[in-house]
Amino acid sequence: MEETTFTKRQVLRKSAISFAIFILVGFMVYFGYQWVKRQPKIAGAPRPLRESLNFNEQVSSRLFDSSRLVKEYPVSAAEKKVRFNGSDGLRDSVNSGTWRLRVVRSAGDTLQISLSELKALPKKEIVFDFKCIEGWSQVTHWGGVPMKTFIDHYRLGPESQLKYMGLQTPDKGYYVGIDMPSALHPQTLLCYEMNGRALPLREGFPVRLIIPVKYGIKHLKRIGTMFFSNEKPPDFWAERGYDYYAGH
Ligand SMILES: Nc1nc2c(c(=O)[nH]1)N[C@H]1C(S)=C(S)[C@@H](COP(=O)(O)O)O[C@H]1N2
Ligand SMILES: [Mo]
């Protein structure tokens, strides 16, 4: 077998080359980062980052298969002490008797739906692993009317042909945009129960969104208004630089 030996000169040359590459890559990372920071911001994130988020969104939504279900657990696996996170849009008081879900069909044509009307529709319960983008997750138990059932019952078929659903709290302090395939996913609920009882105030009483295919940021608590649009509706955390799609 032939042995390869390097002369001292060759070794020196190789180390010099590796060192030069190391320095060059270092400069590229540093100036690349400076360049990204100087780029104009688009919807809360520097342009190159927003563009890659949008690209990821295109890939994820093409791969999205609405018949694929998020894993469900037995009720016994559900956490009794549910974590709470975020109270934007929850600071005013709310009265379940006068609260209405406002559904904007078109300008000047708004449905006003009461809590008891929602409760009269077929109910579905789900126990799933609720994931927050901050890094925690919890198996929790929710009940409400599936969004798809609600859309069919109120004959919102034409509106649901649009690309997005927008949701806002009554005071507009928190708001999200949801791509329509995720809004109509069979596990997405207009939720009014947690652990078999009325939603606690801080968990979004009287009605919140539960959308297991998305991270926590999209599970808007205390829904006031629902609307439909082909443009991306304003989104609280996307405006602060997070991913708009937020699926997992
Ligand atoms: N109205 C409103 N809804 C909200 C938020 C908020 O600040 N305000 N925070 C979101 C985030 S980041 C998470 S993780 C979940 C947390 O839901 P929980 O408080 O029921 O655990 O609610 C989401 N919905
Ligand atoms: Mo979150």
Side-chain angles (χ1 to χ4, degrees):
M1 209 164 76
E2 203 189 320
E3 229 184 282
T4 35
T5 50
F6 294 107
T7 65
K8 220 174 176 183
R9 242 193 94 162
Q10 281 173 316
V11 171
L12 226 84
R13 214 175 96 90
K14 278 189 185 289
S15 334
I17 292 174
S18 329
F19 186 67
I21 291 175
F22 171 75
I23 294 292
L24 196 75
V25 170
F27 270 103
M28 281 161 63
V29 168
Y30 177 76
F31 288 107
Y33 176 66
Q34 296 300 322
W35 175 80
V36 165
K37 278 212 307 201
R38 278 198 314 272
Q39 294 306 299
K41 289 205 169 183
I42 298 185
R47 186 168 57 196
L49 299 187
R50 179 57 70 198
E51 278 168 1
S52 54
L53 286 174
N54 286 345
F55 176 74
N56 289 347
E57 170 171 345
Q58 277 177 20
V59 173
S60 321
S61 42
R62 290 229 181 98
L63 293 177
F64 186 79
D65 171 0
S66 51
S67 64
R68 231 186 84 204
L69 299 181
V70 167
K71 181 173 184 211
E72 296 190 25
Y73 296 78
V75 172
S76 60
E79 201 70 51
K80 293 286 167 292
K81 273 185 136 178
V82 176
R83 250 180 112 145
F84 119 93
N85 204 35
S87 38
D88 294 284
L90 303 181
R91 292 184 185 107
D92 294 350
S93 59
V94 63
N95 175 321
S96 59
T98 54
W99 172 90
R100 294 288 180 277
L101 172 59
R102 296 164 39 84
V103 182
V104 183
R105 285 197 292 203
S106 58
D109 177 12
T110 301
L111 295 173
Q112 306 235 9
I113 300 161
S114 70
L115 182 57
S116 42
E117 286 170 310
L118 280 183
K119 284 186 172 171
L121 300 180
K123 180 166 121 187
K124 174 180 163 71
E125 294 184 37
I126 182 163
V127 181
F128 77 105
D129 196 13
F130 188 110
K131 296 189 175 85
C132 170
I133 234 154
E134 288 169 5
W136 56 267
S137 82
Q138 236 188 0
V139 174
T140 43
H141 174 199
W142 311 90
V145 52
M147 184 68 84
K148 178 74 170 70
T149 307
F150 171 83
I151 295 285
D152 292 344
H153 179 85
Y154 285 99
R155 301 184 194 285
L156 297 165
E159 288 77 5
S160 74
Q161 298 298 310
L162 303 188
K163 287 191 187 142
Y164 295 96
M165 172 183 287
L167 297 170
Q168 304 167 334
T169 55
D171 68 356
K172 304 196 177 8
Y174 196 85
Y175 37 92
V176 298
I178 312 275
D179 58 282
M180 202 60 76
S182 300
L184 301 177
H185 183 274
Q187 290 169 311
T188 302
L189 304 182
L190 283 170
C191 161
Y192 50 80
E193 275 182 12
M194 185 182 88
N195 288 335
R197 293 202 212 107
L199 278 180
L201 266 176
R202 59 182 206 172
E203 246 77 40
F205 179 84
V207 177
R208 74 176 297 169
L209 185 68
I210 284 293
I211 181 157
V213 294
K214 301 281 191 198
Y215 277 106
I217 45 177
K218 295 288 186 181
H219 297 231
L220 181 135
K221 298 187 280 193
R222 197 190 290 180
I223 305 175
T225 305
M226 176 188 292
F227 63 94
F228 307 87
S229 158
N230 271 330
E231 313 303 321
K232 279 184 177 169
D235 188 275
F236 189 90
W237 283 111
E239 285 171 8
R240 286 155 181 79
Y242 282 82
D243 181 18
Y244 192 96
Y245 192 69
H248 57 74

